[in-house]
Amino acid sequence: MTKFNCIAVLSCFLLIFWRCGTGNEIIDPEGLPDPEKPRFEFAVKLDNRKFEHFQHISPAGQVTELKETEVEKYFGQDMAYALPLEIKATKDSTFILKDGGITEAYKSKWEGGKLYFSMAADDQWELFGERGKDTEFKTSLNFYILRNEQPSMTNIAKGHVYNLESYKSLRTSVSMEVFWLTYGLLYK
């Protein structure tokens, strides 16, 4: 009986190896990437970061200019993880690569030299940035802290957005305090 078991096991192995093929089969090239064609239609790396402004807007609406040296006090390491180091785009997707191996992916579209992306399912398009001369790409990165203090509670929100022209769209209440920081970013 053991001789029969050995022959059966050996036959199974031979059948499996025979079914795997010799490696000389013709592979259908459809779907294989073309090594000559780049995967991304557009790819740039961060070249320059420029401090534009840092403001505190009091609940009364008074605007105070803050210095760049105060950024870490309010935002700590947020800049390190939010700053896009590379931007890569296909015709309908944009990938933003950040420090720490973070990659964000968005549905996107080009209109003229402007790149728009959508984060919502309802296809609301937001301006991400625009091409400059040659291979340049420009955008701005805005950080914010929103503080809304009420008699029964205090709400604080902290985040970042791209190309925010004014803090006014963030301020949803007249009693809201806003810290608003903007950096201009240039990619090549």
Side-chain angles (χ1 to χ4, degrees):
M1 188 84 167
T2 54
K3 188 175 183 179
F4 177 75
N5 286 344
C6 288
I7 292 172
V9 170
L10 185 59
S11 297
C12 287
F13 280 120
L14 289 173
L15 182 63
I16 290 171
F17 286 124
W18 177 73
R19 293 292 297 157
C20 288
T22 62
N24 295 330
E25 293 83 18
I26 297 173
I27 298 173
D28 183 9
E30 188 172 309
L32 293 178
D34 181 358
E36 299 297 319
K37 184 178 178 185
R39 180 174 172 207
F40 300 102
E41 296 173 3
F42 178 78
V44 289
K45 292 184 178 186
L46 181 64
D47 185 61
N48 189 8
R49 178 183 78 181
K50 179 184 172 194
F51 174 79
E52 291 185 359
H53 62 266
F54 186 23
Q55 298 174 328
H56 171 251
I57 298 86
S58 72
Q62 181 181 1
V63 179
T64 306
E65 295 294 327
L66 300 173
K67 296 179 182 177
E68 188 176 13
T69 56
E70 298 177 88
V71 168
E72 189 159 331
K73 174 182 171 184
Y74 292 94
F75 293 100
Q77 293 296 315
D78 293 354
M79 174 63 76
Y81 294 108
L83 182 67
L85 301 176
E86 291 183 57
I87 301 168
K88 298 180 178 184
T90 64
K91 71 176 187 174
D92 63 355
S93 300
T94 297
F95 302 90
I96 301 171
L97 289 75
K98 299 181 177 185
D99 198 21
I102 299 169
T103 300
E104 296 176 358
Y106 299 100
K107 179 179 175 182
S108 63
K109 67 179 180 179
W110 287 95
E111 286 184 2
K114 295 183 179 184
L115 180 60
Y116 293 86
F117 64 83
S118 176
M119 291 189 290
D122 59 358
D123 281 340
Q124 286 184 320
W125 296 98
E126 298 178 31
L127 178 64
F128 176 58
E130 60 187 290
R131 289 185 184 200
K133 59 183 180 179
D134 300 322
T135 60
E136 288 183 350
F137 184 79
K138 297 175 186 179
T139 189
S140 66
L141 181 59
N142 312 96
F143 292 88
Y144 61 85
I145 299 172
L146 308 174
R147 181 183 168 106
N148 193 359
E149 197 161 331
Q150 301 294 324
S152 61
M153 67 179 168
T154 300
N155 292 321
I156 299 174
K158 192 175 184 183
H160 68 276
V161 294
Y162 299 100
N163 281 307
L164 187 65
E165 293 183 17
S166 169
Y167 66 86
K168 292 177 182 176
S169 63
L170 296 171
R171 197 167 184 223
T172 58
S173 166
V174 292
S175 62
M176 187 175 284
E177 176 182 29
V178 178
F179 291 90
W180 184 46
L181 167 66
T182 301
Y183 282 94
L185 306 175
L186 177 66
Y187 295 83
K188 291 185 179 182

